[in-house]
Amino acid sequence: MASVVGLLEERELAARERVEELREVADRVLAELAEAETAWHEWLIARQRVGEVLSGPRPGQAGEAGPEAGESSGSEPATNAPAEVLSRAARSGSIVPAWRPALSVDALAPHYQRILATLTEQASGGKPVMSCQEITAVLGPEPVPASVEGVRSKVKRLADRGWADEPTPGRFTLAAGPAGGS
């Protein structure tokens, strides 16, 4: 007859192996999700670019000023773009532009604005660094894995574009530029 401790060890080993298997599956799914998100964003950018090209004036049309009239030739970033161009980025589902001093939080989609407002509010309340679960809890949805992963992808995107910082893995804070009041 097997000992009780031996039976418990067998069950513990089986449970641990199952957890490791599931972690491998979860890692693989998260990697596939990251690849799919990247592909989706590339298609989104392509569609937006085509929409801009099709809706904008054509070169050589009357009333259009070329680069010689003071427009950017494309070799340097346009930091003083008209407000209507910057506000177009605020559409739901839009991409996150790279932060620069002339760009306000209004250039971001509403959900990204709420995330930055949460980081700003918590920093002024004495909690400058937050995890994605904490951000999700403040934003309102139940901090279940799906909600947390959605927030994580958005905060990571904000960090990649200079709006937020990730001082330690999984912990986020407002970047120095946007925090400076620009």
Side-chain angles (χ1 to χ4, degrees):
M1 181 174 193
S3 72
V4 172
V5 174
L7 291 172
L8 290 174
E9 286 175 349
E10 287 177 15
R11 300 248 173 127
E12 177 189 357
L13 177 63
R16 183 177 34 172
E17 289 174 349
R18 177 72 177 144
V19 167
E20 289 173 3
E21 289 173 6
L22 291 174
R23 279 194 179 134
E24 289 175 7
V25 170
D27 289 343
R28 189 172 54 249
V29 168
L30 288 174
E32 289 179 25
L33 174 64
E35 289 177 19
E37 280 183 334
T38 300
W40 171 50
H41 288 288
E42 289 172 353
W43 286 112
L44 177 66
I45 291 168
R47 185 176 52 82
Q48 288 174 340
R49 294 289 186 240
V50 169
E52 289 173 9
V53 169
L54 294 176
S55 67
R58 292 190 181 116
Q61 283 185 338
E64 181 181 339
E68 64 276 356
E71 287 185 8
S72 173
S73 64
S75 61
E76 58 188 51
T79 56
N80 51 355
E84 70 180 58
V85 172
L86 296 179
S87 68
R88 272 193 286 163
R91 291 189 307 247
S92 185
S94 66
I95 60 172
V96 176
W99 182 85
R100 57 187 180 272
L103 202 57
S104 74
V105 177
D106 296 334
L108 299 171
H111 196 74
Y112 292 100
Q113 291 178 17
R114 287 191 298 273
I115 291 171
L116 287 179
T118 299
L119 289 172
T120 303
E121 187 178 295
Q122 295 297 314
S124 65
K127 187 172 187 173
V129 181
M130 299 180 72
S131 70
C132 293
Q133 280 187 318
E134 294 167 332
I135 295 169
T136 305
V138 171
L139 289 174
E142 190 69 27
V144 296
S147 299
V148 173
E149 287 305 313
V151 168
R152 183 183 324 280
S153 71
K154 287 175 179 61
V155 179
K156 284 275 198 184
R157 198 166 297 122
L158 287 169
D160 289 345
R161 306 304 195 302
W163 293 90
D165 279 333
E166 188 176 11
T168 58
R171 308 282 297 170
F172 297 90
T173 185
L174 193 61
S182 296

